[in-house]
Amino acid sequence: MWLWTVLVFFALPQVDGDVVVTPELEKRFPDNFSFGVSSSAYQIEGSWNVDGKGLSTWDFYLHKQPDIVEDCTNADVTTDSYRLFKRDIQMLKHLGVKSYRFSLSWTRILPDGTTNHINPRGIAHYRKFIDLLLENDILPFVTLYHWDLPIAFGKNGGWLNENTVDRFGDYARVAFSAFGDKVKNWITINEPFIHCLFSYELGLHPPLIKSPGKGFYECGRNLLLGHAKAYHIYDAEFRFQGGKVGLVVDAQWPIAASRSEEDAEAVKDYLAFYVGQYLDPVFKGDYPQRLTARVVATSTREGTEFRLRPFSEEEKKYIHGTYDFVGINHYNSVVVYRNESVNGMYEEPSFYDDVGIGTYMDDSWPASSFDSMRANAPGFYSLLLYLKDTYNNPVVFITENGFPLSSAEGLDDWKKVNYIRNYLDALMDARADGSNCQGYFFWSLMDSFEWTSGYGYKFGLYQVDFDDPDKKRTARKSALVYKEIIRTGTTDFNYNPDPYQYNGTVY
Ligand code: BGC
């Protein structure tokens, strides 16, 4: 009897004056938390010219100029997922994910990018794929645009040309109408910042347009208009399908190098240029004031034209409020500073000169195989709370988070395991402190083509043997641990001694 009394006493909330003290809750993700993994069409599909597919900028430029890519490779075949999609679904099933984020290839559906010709084989492929996901209880999160622009538009200024905005709207309408009965989570555009920086500021990604300090902003502006166009089309014509539409923004977390006032300003400017440039127009109706002010200041100093074209009142209204959720791709933190050493550090004009800050990685953070990515989970927590406080606590999905390793790491990828565990702990803490984050997608399901970095960076939970004609996939330790996290809804289980001995799950 005394035992029951003791148990009941500890299980019930205890009242201490006016304060109700509950026993500390176990750290656990709720059952409806959307665990998933991410990928993108060009990085995994291969079959670049199969079943009526048209050419994208990536197909075209990588054939023409292979040395754009570090190891002179391309994604003509890559993981061969267009052909092997059933195997990918078995892997998803093995992991136990509830959702899968993938992108549609625009030119598989509209080979020349326009609705002049809709490719029934492209549509049939994705319908089959989506049906099979749903049969396996996996919800599709579909990205319309993950950087593979139809070549005709790429040759015509790409996202610097407003015509691309309208054509994107047409494509979105075709996709909503072809798949919207099954797909309830839509992502319009992946990462405006990275896309505009690499394709239109630095000219390193197709269509290789180098327009520092100008093209970068123009691209971002048009991507926002394209996003808004797709959102309004969904709202006006497809809302009855009961889905949700959002934009995916990449957001790393800036940390001041010192307590100086200048470094504190550097943090705010970083957030305005890298994150606010895209989220403020959507959530608040215009560019952040400090972004505009800095570009005005640098343009005046240089005696150049004002390079950030303001939105008209009508455009502001058109973009404002176009979200049902926001997708965030987050990988790392970055240390930021501003002092005299930054003056004259960057080309003029350029986006970097406009922001006017220096950045570096903290050596004490665990390194990945990318110089620019080191793990710092507390930064992830801070970012989630910043989004909550700055944008009125929107529904957030972490649409990418990951840690690349070199092939030397093999299957026993403990560094990735630690990364996942620490980042998910940070996510749980942020949720406990009010973040409305409802899902997490690890990047990536398997190793794949890492854009201009080629095949050397291993982001996958599954290792892919690219020399094997069958592109054999093998579960890494990180896959088995992520599977257990999903199964238990917690990160808190016994990793050592290791109950997840690599068991040779091969696909
Ligand atoms: C992109 C992915 C890419 C990943 C890792 C993101 O910027 O959306 O396509 O593979 O980062 O670099």
Side-chain angles (χ1 to χ4, degrees):
M1 179 60 190
W2 66 269
L3 180 65
W4 286 113
T5 316
V6 171
L7 285 178
V8 168
F9 177 77
F10 280 108
L12 288 175
Q14 296 165 44
V15 179
D16 178 10
D18 282 335
V19 186
V20 178
V21 185
T22 42
E24 203 188 317
L25 289 173
E26 193 188 355
K27 275 173 93 180
R28 179 182 284 281
F29 287 99
D31 289 344
N32 62 358
F33 188 79
S34 193
F35 276 113
V37 284
S38 271
S39 69
S40 90
Y42 184 68
Q43 293 177 276
I44 67 165
E45 283 186 351
S47 298
W48 64 281
N49 58 355
V50 169
D51 289 347
K53 178 179 172 299
L55 288 187
S56 77
T57 44
W58 283 86
D59 297 316
F60 178 84
Y61 285 101
L62 270 47
H63 289 161
K64 192 169 148 207
Q65 209 179 310
D67 63 357
I68 294 170
V69 176
E70 206 172 292
D71 53 11
C72 294
T73 54
N74 59 38
D76 284 359
V77 182
T78 178
T79 63
D80 211 359
S81 287
Y82 182 75
R83 216 168 49 84
L84 302 174
F85 71 92
K86 290 190 182 147
R87 228 164 46 170
D88 291 359
I89 291 180
Q90 282 169 13
M91 289 149 67
L92 295 166
K93 198 68 191 161
H94 171 238
L95 277 178
V97 289
K98 296 174 185 160
S99 320
Y100 181 46
R101 172 178 176 238
F102 61 97
S103 76
L104 304 175
S105 152
W106 187 336
T107 56
R108 246 183 233 299
I109 295 170
L110 306 178
D112 69 2
T114 74
T115 46
N116 289 344
H117 170 48
I118 299 180
N119 179 18
R121 284 180 293 175
I123 304 242
H125 165 77
Y126 288 122
R127 275 200 77 87
K128 225 186 311 159
F129 182 63
I130 291 164
D131 280 344
L132 202 54
L133 283 173
L134 292 171
E135 276 166 35
N136 284 282
D137 297 321
I138 300 166
L139 290 181
F141 276 61
V142 177
T143 310
L144 290 171
Y145 181 68
H146 200 123
W147 307 351
D148 43 354
L149 190 68
I151 185 57
F153 307 149
K155 285 183 176 171
N156 216 356
W159 281 101
L160 305 187
N161 186 334
E162 281 176 25
N163 177 49
T164 304
V165 174
D166 293 333
R167 299 295 75 77
F168 178 69
D170 297 343
Y171 158 56
R173 179 180 285 109
V174 172
F176 296 148
S177 128
F179 313 115
D181 56 333
K182 313 262 177 183
V183 173
K184 303 300 168 194
N185 289 285
W186 292 100
I187 288 154
T188 53
I189 281 160
N190 181 65
E191 298 191 352
F193 172 79
I194 291 285
H195 190 41
C196 297
L197 182 75
F198 280 89
S199 290
Y200 302 95
E201 167 93 10
L202 305 173
L204 297 172
H205 283 186
L208 311 179
I209 296 178
K210 194 166 178 208
S211 171
K214 186 145 197 267
F216 168 75
Y217 298 115
E218 201 58 19
C219 161
R221 196 180 188 284
N222 283 331
L223 284 175
L224 283 172
L225 289 168
H227 155 78
K229 176 151 280 191
Y231 186 92
H232 286 299
I233 289 172
Y234 193 83
D235 235 12
E237 301 169 37
F238 299 95
R239 223 10 120 178
F240 70 90
Q241 292 176 340
K244 298 194 161 61
V245 182
L247 172 71
V248 162
V249 167
D250 50 298
Q252 316 318 323
W253 184 248
I255 296 173
S258 76
R259 287 169 194 268
S260 76
E261 186 113 338
E262 281 173 306
D263 289 355
E265 286 295 300
V267 165
K268 289 184 189 155
D269 286 338
Y270 180 100
L271 287 165
F273 276 81
Y274 286 70
V275 182
Q277 181 175 176
Y278 313 103
L279 289 190
D280 277 26
V282 171
F283 282 86
K284 300 181 174 178
D286 202 358
Y287 286 131
Q289 220 264 320
R290 56 171 63 231
L291 164 73
T292 314
R294 280 201 71 86
V295 186
V296 168
T298 46
S299 315
T300 312
R301 194 188 67 215
E302 293 155 3
T304 52
E305 57 177 329
F306 178 52
R307 292 172 276 97
L308 173 72
R309 197 148 61 93
F311 291 115
S312 68
E313 289 309 310
E314 203 185 318
E315 286 171 332
K316 284 184 201 168
K317 273 201 219 113
Y318 192 64
I319 296 172
H320 192 189
T322 52
Y323 66 93
D324 302 320
F325 64 85
V326 59
I328 297 291
N329 293 351
H330 174 80
Y331 286 88
N332 53 272
S333 298
V334 56
V335 184
V336 303
Y337 63 94
R338 178 176 288 142
N339 54 34
E340 307 88 72
S341 73
V342 177
N343 297 338
M345 194 191 247
Y346 303 110
E347 187 182 342
E348 293 180 22
S350 70
F351 151 74
Y352 290 111
D353 188 52
D354 290 338
V355 198
I357 60 177
T359 61
Y360 63 88
M361 286 283 127
D362 185 323
D363 286 347
S364 69
W365 298 337
S368 73
S369 59
F370 260 135
D371 293 342
S372 59
M373 282 186 191
R374 280 175 178 262
N376 178 49
F380 185 33
Y381 169 88
S382 303
L383 171 69
L384 286 166
L385 288 205
Y386 172 82
L387 295 168
K388 159 181 168 284
D389 295 339
T390 312
Y391 298 109
N392 199 18
N393 206 10
V395 173
V396 171
F397 287 96
I398 297 305
T399 35
E400 288 182 29
N401 177 242
F403 200 60
L405 297 175
S406 75
S407 50
E409 225 73 35
L411 296 173
D412 235 11
D413 56 345
W414 278 108
K415 288 183 191 161
K416 203 176 279 167
V417 167
N418 288 336
Y419 178 93
I420 297 174
R421 185 183 189 179
N422 292 335
Y423 273 70
L424 283 175
D425 277 341
L427 198 160
M428 264 191 279
D429 289 345
R431 279 176 52 90
D433 290 341
S435 160
N436 198 0
C437 177
Q438 298 188 359
Y440 171 92
F441 294 73
F442 188 75
W443 183 276
S444 186
L445 172 62
M446 62 194 143
D447 298 338
S448 65
F449 180 72
E450 183 49 34
W451 308 110
T452 45
S453 304
Y455 288 100
Y457 300 84
K458 311 295 182 186
F459 276 94
L461 296 172
Y462 292 79
Q463 180 190 63
V464 176
D465 181 354
F466 290 100
D467 296 329
D468 174 16
D470 250 356
K471 310 295 172 200
K472 185 175 79 185
R473 288 97 150 108
T474 308
R476 291 198 169 99
K477 182 152 322 255
S478 52
L480 305 174
V481 168
Y482 190 44
K483 176 180 167 72
E484 191 62 6
I485 292 175
I486 297 170
R487 191 184 69 79
T488 60
T490 126
T491 56
D492 204 9
F493 47 83
N494 189 3
Y495 288 70
N496 212 0
D498 179 13
Y500 309 104
Q501 279 304 330
Y502 158 65
N503 67 2
T505 316
V506 175
Y507 293 91

